[in-house]
Amino acid sequence: MPHEDKSMGAVLAAQDPIVQSLVREEVDHGVLIPLKTTLELRDDHVTGRVLITRTPVKSANPTISLLRDMLPEEIVKGVPHLRRCAKPGDLPAHLKTQFMNETPQSRQIHTGKSNWIYIILGPESQLSRDELVQALKTIEGLEEDIFIRSVPVPMVAPTSQIQAAMWSQHFWPTLYRKNNPLGPHPAMVSRSTEEITDDAAIWMTLAHQVAEQSQAAGHGEPMGACIVQREEGNKVTLVALAADARWRCQGKTGCTGNPMAHSVLRAISMVAQKLVRAENKRTDTFQTPILEFEAFQDKPLLDDEQKVFEIDHPSPDGYLCHGLEMYLTHEPCVMCSMAILHSRMGKVVFRHRMPLTGGLCAENRGSDHPSLNGADGGRGLGLFWRRELNWSLVAWEWESNGCLKPLPVDQMIHA
């Protein structure tokens, strides 16, 4: 099988002619860094306490059956990332030492090939010791003085095999089930990164170009957005291209510009207009806007925006931006981040973090950023992946290898 040429020149040559004609700057690969979720950053070491007991191996099944009969299912299965049963030799070293030195019988249990096993009973806060002791006394073979101890354990599942091994040494034997309860599945992140890594620089370059053009024309800040659709076989179609236009028809004195004209909102609106245009063609209806002032400024203002706007939407029957990819020069503000979620975008890549005003990153905003002189934007929101929201997506920060020059803006600006 011939080796596939993944050089930037070959990748660009494989794109549609319109894309090739729009790319005027030198393009080279960058680095994609997946964003961390709020849970990945903050719940990494949250611990709680569970109660454990020990029984002869032959009494393990009756003990577990007893627990299932007397406790609600959510308690019995409350810590699925921890091994329910653990041999004495599999315990962390500090627990072995602690239990072995308690009584002569304990030392015997931990000597040689043991016929005993330790069992997690459940979270301590949800259990009654007295009730457990009375119930366990009915199990044949248990010690006369029922063994129940409280031990600290991580209350969330590990996100890697390395973390599981570390927790097994410090807390309790832990399982890594190749998933991520705190964010996107690692396999999905890896697969998605592989899908976009070859051509991400092309779409970032287009966003970069319109950002510079809009600033030069006095329309807005040097910020841009590019939306593409990726189909099976990794065929990519350019759907929308939009720059920031917050200063158009606005005075710069004493205001922050038109928030409806951020590049993200303009790009999403252009996608929506394409869908409406396709529907109008099918129904042979055409509507004339009646607004005296168009707040969204979502008509093409630049030649490059116009060229892309004239291309029909490749999938006019879908919901707005469902499954599309957005490439941004700057991390979007909270308003734009929520617009991205509501439009059902599938992937988002941005170049410059906005440590005071960005809505996608989960890291605390600005408190430790060296260029902000101690300014603090509060806790990062990590809006790309939140349990309480009804949509989530995969997001990356893109680092240029130096091919594209930076687009610096005031850190207080909302992108």
Side-chain angles (χ1 to χ4, degrees):
M1 184 176 179
H3 177 69
E4 184 180 357
D5 186 359
K6 292 190 177 181
S7 66
M8 205 67 251
V11 174
L12 181 57
Q15 304 302 320
D16 289 337
I18 183 67
V19 174
Q20 297 179 43
S21 69
L22 288 171
V23 176
R24 303 180 187 91
E25 299 187 20
E26 183 182 352
V27 182
D28 203 355
H29 293 292
V31 178
L32 290 163
I33 305 170
L35 297 192
K36 294 286 188 180
T37 69
T38 55
L39 292 174
E40 286 176 317
L41 292 174
R42 295 184 191 128
D43 285 353
D44 204 20
H45 296 95
V46 170
T47 60
R49 302 191 74 86
V50 297
L51 295 180
I52 63 171
T53 189
R54 65 189 179 200
T55 75
V57 172
K58 64 180 181 180
S59 301
N61 284 336
T63 301
I64 293 174
S65 296
L66 173 69
L67 293 174
R68 288 174 177 162
D69 291 339
M70 69 178 293
L71 299 175
E73 185 177 7
E74 59 268 21
I75 294 180
V76 176
K77 297 182 178 180
V79 281
H81 56 285
L82 303 177
R83 290 193 181 277
R84 164 70 68 180
C85 302
K87 297 177 181 178
D90 294 334
L91 296 181
H94 69 283
L95 291 182
K96 288 182 195 175
T97 303
Q98 174 187 336
F99 298 154
M100 185 168 61
N101 292 327
E102 287 183 346
T103 64
Q105 185 179 6
S106 293
R107 183 176 296 276
Q108 184 178 8
I109 288 173
H110 283 264
T111 302
K113 185 176 180 181
S114 179
N115 291 321
W116 286 71
I117 196 165
Y118 286 86
I119 300 175
I120 291 180
L121 299 173
E124 182 176 17
S125 61
Q126 298 175 294
L127 300 174
S128 166
R129 283 186 180 240
D130 291 340
E131 291 180 6
L132 286 172
V133 168
Q134 294 304 316
L136 291 173
K137 283 182 177 180
T138 64
I139 303 295
E140 183 179 355
L142 267 64
E143 300 163 279
E144 182 176 342
D145 184 11
I146 298 297
F147 178 93
I148 293 183
R149 299 292 184 273
S150 172
V151 297
V153 295
M155 299 306 291
V156 294
T159 58
S160 69
Q161 187 64 55
I162 294 175
Q163 191 175 54
M166 182 178 69
W167 288 355
S168 295
Q169 293 178 355
H170 294 285
F171 296 104
W172 186 267
T174 306
L175 298 169
Y176 173 57
R177 301 185 184 278
K178 295 185 178 180
N179 62 1
N180 181 10
L182 310 179
H185 194 288
M188 181 174 72
V189 175
S190 177
R191 183 174 62 252
S192 298
T193 303
E194 185 177 350
E195 286 176 355
I196 70 175
T197 191
D198 290 341
D199 52 49
I202 295 175
W203 319 120
M204 193 62 72
T205 297
L206 292 179
H208 187 278
Q209 288 180 176
V210 293
E212 290 186 314
Q213 293 166 14
S214 183
Q215 183 188 37
H219 295 324
E221 297 293 328
M223 299 173 175
C226 178
I227 298 178
V228 302
Q229 175 174 293
R230 192 175 301 273
E231 302 172 23
E232 289 187 13
N234 226 27
K235 181 183 185 302
V236 187
T237 303
L238 182 58
V239 180
L241 192 59
D244 183 81
R246 70 186 66 199
W247 300 123
R248 189 169 187 269
C249 302
Q250 302 282 317
K252 285 193 176 183
T253 304
C255 76
T256 57
N258 179 5
M260 297 294 100
H262 288 189
S263 60
V264 167
L265 298 187
R266 294 187 69 234
I268 292 174
S269 183
M270 289 180 185
V271 175
Q273 290 178 74
K274 287 190 173 188
L275 295 174
V276 172
R277 190 169 68 198
E279 179 65 21
N280 287 344
K281 286 181 179 179
R282 284 197 293 263
T283 60
D284 196 27
T285 58
F286 298 91
Q287 300 175 353
T288 303
I290 60 174
L291 296 176
E292 293 182 7
F293 172 69
E294 179 51 68
F296 282 94
Q297 295 295 314
D298 55 2
K299 299 300 180 186
L301 301 175
L302 305 169
D303 289 343
D304 286 359
E305 291 180 349
Q306 181 66 40
K307 291 176 183 176
V308 178
F309 187 71
E310 291 172 355
I311 305 171
D312 287 336
H313 196 297
S315 302
D317 296 324
Y319 173 79
L320 199 47
C321 296
H322 188 275
L324 301 185
E325 301 171 9
M326 175 174 270
Y327 295 81
L328 304 167
T329 57
H330 296 76
E331 179 187 0
C333 66
V334 175
M335 175 187 69
C336 289
S337 295
M338 289 305 297
I340 289 170
L341 289 175
H342 287 307
S343 71
R344 300 297 188 260
M345 200 74 66
K347 302 181 181 76
V348 174
V349 183
F350 65 84
R351 182 184 180 189
H352 296 293
R353 287 199 181 207
M354 297 299 288
L356 285 179
T357 62
L360 291 185
C361 292
E363 289 83 358
N364 287 345
R365 301 196 291 181
S367 57
D368 58 352
H369 199 280
S371 67
L372 298 179
N373 298 320
D376 189 355
R379 301 183 72 176
L381 299 177
L383 292 174
F384 76 99
W385 193 282
R386 297 285 296 246
R387 286 177 177 173
E388 62 270 32
L389 299 177
N390 65 356
W391 186 258
S392 57
L393 48 86
V394 188
W396 297 261
E397 181 181 2
W398 185 83
E399 287 191 358
S400 171
N401 65 358
C403 186
L404 292 178
K405 69 178 184 180
L407 294 173
V409 296
D410 187 331
Q411 296 290 350
M412 299 296 292
I413 282 178
H414 293 255

